[in-house]
Amino acid sequence: MAVFRSGLLVLTTPLASLAPRLAPILTSAARLVNHTLYVHLQPGMSLEDPAQPPSSPVQATFEVLDFITHLYAGADVHRHLDVRILLTNIRTKSTFLPPLPTSVQNLAHPPEVVLTDFQTLDGSQYNPVKEQLVRYATSCYSCCPRLASVLLYPDYGIGEVPMESLDVPLPSTIRPASPVARSPKQPVRGYYRGAVGGTFDRLHNAHKVLLSIACILAQEQLVVGVADKDLLKSKLLPELLQPYTERVEHLSEFLVDIKPSLTFDVIPLLDPYGPAGSDPSLEFLVVSEETYRGGMAVNRFRLENDLEELALYQIQLLKDVKHTENEEDKVSSSSFRQRMLGNLLRPPYERPELPTCLYVIGLTGISGSGKSSIAQRLKGLGAFVIDSDHLGHRAYAPGGPAYQPVVEAFGTDILHKDGIINRKVLGSRVFGNKKQLKILTDIMWPIIAKLAREEMDRAVTEGKRVCVIDAAVLLEAGWQNLVHEVWTVVIPETEAVRRIVERDGLSEAAAQSRLQSQMSGQQLVEQSHVVLSTLWEPHITQRQVEKAWALLQKRIPKSHQALD
């Protein structure tokens, strides 16, 4: 069976009957499409009529909103699919709506295949129906010139075609501002301008529900606030957040795809209120269960500033059936970032100058990140570990390669009575003095790099395949030239400060000062191939390291082939 990169799914069954069938329909679609799946709702349409069926408006009722939520929730099982429900023909109860577009709507990824849940009388791939389906799809959307078509019902197999279900309302997922009970068939009101906000990191199906409901409610303009700067500091694993420009790019493409008739004002959200707290022309705000209190705070703020309250639409959170013990039970970006831990984020370096039978990892992280504990876990899995601090001690020792150059540069007053370099005195001499620090690092870093190369040779003689250089200053020293991959351990700065205070007996101010003198976790991650974190319980850290190690074993042979 052919697999297409992008496709268009035309759903023709009435929504109440369609809801219990979504799982097999989406599963069938997921077998045929491996990237973008557009969904077009046209309940009640017949493809067996001789006349070409036109695209007709679908009344936006609460049942429609609930169906959209359930469809995205079901689609989350198929995470390789970028599902986008097209909203052009879904219309709210309003007198100022423009007519349905008569021209073809361009899509970001033109569909290569059109699929439908339409059931033919004999349950077969009935050719005239497929021809009608193709004509209908190409009259509405930009599609590939040679569009393939598939009727999904036969994919269920003999005896698996679902029976017509009773007209049972979908579970309620949208709570409008008014506390008055609503009917599933109740039309949804339209507004000129409204707002929605979020981080929108790695745009996922819960984001798409928020955005879709906002797009249905808005008739002219939707203001979309995208969290940035200070609002990102409290996020889990902020180092792995997509850059603001990248988040906006993906968001904008999605919005224009699902409802091109709207004007979108995508802006950075720099405080909890954003434009929702100050823009008098806004009429509604879409929030999630988690951010509903924030929406209430926005309305209090507006009242205090003599502005009308916004109509609040609260969206139920999507449950994540695949979450693990340390992840949230909802679909969330923070869980997606956690799943990135241990994965290869960018191609490894080619290092033909390194021993061809040895693969070298550079392990780094801010002070207190748990980098050394990760090194020991990797050692337990079979890696040869080179501790750069130990190499530094060897270099400083009397007779070591750095001893005489350091004494000549900083004087004999840095020595103990027994002639050993007093590292505390030396440290106080260079701390906060960039010129003195550069003199020291210009001496030490090349020497430690040379010692590390000698240790690599020892790893080869011991038959090791993987070598880990444990070095806090790996990137500052330019030692990434010695490794195939940079692995970085990240934790929040507040946790790093707590660990440094507990471990080294420093004050909080001294611990913060130490961190400020180093590259930040964000700067390290920007140059890293793999990211790990020791934020959770030890067994979770171990599982993370084992995952990273297993993935590493799979790519090492390919890397060696490139180096041989």
Side-chain angles (χ1 to χ4, degrees):
M1 182 180 290
V3 178
F4 302 89
R5 182 169 173 80
S6 55
L8 172 68
L9 175 59
V10 180
L11 297 175
T12 64
T13 306
L15 301 185
S17 299
L18 182 58
R21 306 177 186 180
L22 274 178
I25 288 172
L26 285 169
T27 299
S28 297
R31 293 202 301 265
L32 292 162
V33 179
N34 66 8
H35 189 264
T36 308
L37 178 65
Y38 295 105
V39 180
H40 173 83
L41 300 181
Q42 197 65 84
M45 184 180 73
S46 174
L47 292 170
E48 289 183 316
D49 293 338
Q52 172 64 40
S55 181
S56 57
V58 174
Q59 176 71 61
T61 62
F62 283 101
E63 178 189 42
V64 171
L65 302 192
D66 290 334
F67 180 81
I68 288 171
T69 303
H70 283 287
L71 197 154
Y72 275 124
D76 203 60
V77 175
H78 308 286
R79 287 186 177 150
H80 69 284
L81 277 184
D82 176 8
V83 177
R84 305 181 182 194
I85 302 173
L86 301 166
L87 307 176
T88 299
N89 67 324
I90 298 177
R91 323 309 294 269
T92 56
K93 183 182 180 181
S94 177
T95 57
F96 50 84
L97 285 175
L100 280 175
T102 54
S103 59
V104 171
Q105 178 182 332
N106 290 318
L107 299 172
H109 309 282
E112 300 168 330
V113 60
V114 57
L115 313 95
T116 186
D117 65 326
F118 186 86
Q119 185 178 3
T120 58
L121 295 176
D122 59 0
S124 65
Q125 291 281 352
Y126 185 46
N127 284 338
V129 172
K130 292 172 67 174
E131 290 170 9
Q132 282 281 60
L133 179 64
V134 169
R135 284 200 294 270
Y136 178 77
T138 53
S139 70
C140 297
Y141 302 105
S142 61
C143 299
C144 289
R146 304 183 72 174
L147 186 68
S149 63
V150 176
L151 310 185
L152 291 177
Y153 269 119
D155 283 355
Y156 295 151
I158 298 172
E160 294 182 30
V161 177
M163 300 297 292
E164 289 294 323
S165 65
L166 297 175
D167 193 8
V168 178
L170 289 164
S172 174
T173 58
I174 314 295
R175 182 180 297 173
S178 170
V180 177
R182 64 170 175 85
S183 161
K185 303 296 184 183
Q186 178 183 332
V188 174
R189 178 190 167 184
Y191 302 84
Y192 279 102
R193 297 184 77 241
V196 65
T199 308
F200 301 115
D201 178 47
R202 290 172 177 81
L203 197 67
H204 53 64
N205 287 320
H207 291 143
K208 292 175 183 179
V209 172
L210 279 179
L211 294 166
S212 296
I213 302 306
C215 283
I216 289 174
L217 297 173
Q219 304 307 305
E220 287 197 351
Q221 185 178 45
L222 182 65
V223 178
V224 186
V226 181
D228 198 20
K229 298 184 179 176
D230 286 350
L231 291 187
L232 303 179
K233 290 181 178 178
S234 62
K235 298 295 179 183
L236 182 68
L237 300 171
E239 301 89 350
L240 292 175
L241 278 163
Q242 291 175 312
Y244 175 82
T245 53
E246 191 173 333
R247 285 181 281 138
V248 168
E249 180 183 350
H250 294 313
L251 178 65
S252 299
E253 182 195 272
F254 174 79
L255 291 170
V256 171
D257 253 357
I258 66 169
K259 194 169 181 181
S261 61
L262 276 185
T263 300
F264 299 105
D265 189 9
V266 182
I267 60 171
L269 199 57
L270 304 176
D271 63 77
Y273 297 119
S278 57
D279 188 338
S281 67
L282 292 178
E283 298 171 278
F284 74 86
L285 178 65
V286 176
V287 296
S288 70
E289 289 177 87
E290 281 188 333
T291 58
Y292 182 72
R293 288 186 179 180
M296 297 289 285
V298 165
N299 272 340
R300 287 195 297 272
F301 185 78
R302 288 177 70 91
L303 289 174
E304 290 168 4
N305 290 275
D306 299 322
L307 296 176
E308 288 188 15
E309 287 184 294
L310 300 175
L312 296 182
Y313 285 80
Q314 179 185 343
I315 311 300
Q316 193 177 77
L317 296 172
L318 297 192
K319 296 298 180 183
D320 185 352
V321 296
K322 295 184 178 180
H323 76 281
T324 60
E325 64 175 297
N326 60 310
E327 296 174 350
E328 296 178 291
D329 63 355
K330 62 168 187 171
V331 176
S332 74
S333 298
S334 62
S335 294
F336 287 15
R337 292 194 293 276
Q338 286 182 66
R339 291 167 197 156
M340 292 173 64
L341 297 172
N343 292 345
L344 185 69
L345 303 180
R346 51 181 56 86
Y349 298 129
E350 291 189 11
R351 297 295 186 218
E353 69 276 15
L354 296 180
T356 56
C357 56
L358 192 67
Y359 200 81
V360 186
I361 303 297
L363 183 64
T364 190
I366 63 173
S367 183
S369 63
K371 171 178 57 64
S372 296
S373 72
I374 295 284
Q376 289 308 303
R377 292 178 190 277
L378 289 168
K379 184 176 181 180
L381 292 171
F384 183 93
V385 175
I386 300 172
D387 188 328
S388 63
D389 281 345
H390 289 170
L391 297 184
H393 285 295
R394 275 174 49 191
Y396 277 124
Y403 182 84
Q404 197 59 39
V406 169
V407 172
E408 288 177 1
F410 294 95
T412 56
D413 56 338
I414 65 168
L415 300 177
H416 286 290
K417 290 181 181 179
D418 58 4
I420 295 174
I421 292 175
N422 186 330
R423 295 186 71 177
K424 284 189 176 179
V425 172
L426 179 60
S428 66
R429 187 80 62 83
V430 301
F431 186 78
N433 187 321
K434 290 184 179 180
K435 184 177 179 181
Q436 292 294 302
L437 180 62
K438 187 175 187 309
I439 292 172
L440 179 62
T441 55
D442 282 351
I443 295 170
M444 293 300 300
W445 287 350
I447 290 173
I448 294 174
K450 184 174 183 295
L451 293 175
R453 287 299 300 264
E454 292 172 1
E455 289 294 296
M456 287 184 211
D457 293 336
R458 189 159 74 86
V460 172
T461 62
E462 292 185 14
K464 296 291 186 179
R465 296 176 66 229
V466 177
C467 174
V468 174
I469 301 177
D470 177 358
V473 295
L474 183 88
L475 297 177
E476 293 96 324
W479 294 339
Q480 64 266 43
N481 294 329
L482 297 175
V483 306
H484 296 99
E485 297 178 19
V486 175
W487 289 20
T488 293
V489 186
V490 297
I491 55 166
E493 187 176 306
T494 51
E495 174 64 12
V497 168
R498 187 194 67 76
R499 292 182 185 182
I500 294 168
V501 169
E502 185 179 291
R503 182 190 66 194
D504 301 338
L506 298 179
S507 66
E508 284 194 12
Q512 287 171 340
S513 179
R514 178 184 294 184
L515 292 175
Q516 287 167 4
S517 68
Q518 304 172 354
M519 290 178 72
S520 68
Q522 181 68 55
Q523 290 171 316
L524 295 174
V525 166
E526 286 170 359
Q527 301 182 59
S528 298
H529 299 82
V530 173
V531 177
L532 302 164
S533 179
T534 60
L535 184 58
W536 300 278
E537 291 83 357
H539 72 278
I540 292 175
T541 301
Q542 181 66 24
R543 190 188 307 154
Q544 225 181 90
V545 173
E546 289 173 357
K547 170 190 170 182
W549 180 261
L551 293 173
L552 174 66
Q553 302 311 305
K554 291 180 181 179
R555 61 182 178 266
I556 282 178
K558 294 180 181 178
S559 301
H560 280 183
Q561 289 167 13
L563 293 169
D564 284 342

